[in-house]
Amino acid sequence: MAKVPAAAVAAGGLIGGYGVARWTKKRQLGGVVLAAAGATAAQQWRRQAGGKAAGALTVAYVAAFAGSHPLAKKVGAWPSVFGVAGAVALVSWAVADRRA
């Protein structure tokens, strides 16, 4: 089975978490998707780049989630989510995935 890059897992968690919350109208369910993907990505980051990098990338993931809210007021919800997901994916690839 092919390994899914941590960048894709993290971006998918941000996009999928928002999508699930929006389409089900259950924010908690979206939070479960967001948290599960974040935990999975964090495990991969730790294996690929070490504990310090995994900690920094986890902070970036949470900051992207939090930052998407005020950004959405300026550019719209979906553009905000796609923007922060892309940023997290790029940083994840640069720090962890390209080493693998």
Side-chain angles (χ1 to χ4, degrees):
M1 183 168 167
K3 184 178 144 208
V4 177
V9 173
L14 289 161
I15 294 166
Y18 175 69
V20 167
R22 182 169 178 147
W23 290 315
T24 65
K25 302 201 183 332
K26 296 188 185 320
R27 292 176 62 148
Q28 298 86 349
L29 194 54
V32 168
V33 172
L34 180 79
T40 301
Q43 287 179 338
Q44 285 184 249
W45 291 328
R46 185 179 46 76
R47 279 194 307 271
Q48 292 171 344
K52 286 183 182 181
L57 288 166
T58 300
V59 168
Y61 183 79
V62 173
F65 167 70
S68 70
H69 292 82
L71 182 60
K73 294 180 183 193
K74 296 181 190 273
V75 300
W78 279 113
S80 172
V81 170
F82 285 129
V84 300
V88 167
L90 181 63
V91 172
S92 174
W93 176 82
V95 173
D97 289 329
R98 72 180 172 148
R99 296 178 184 199

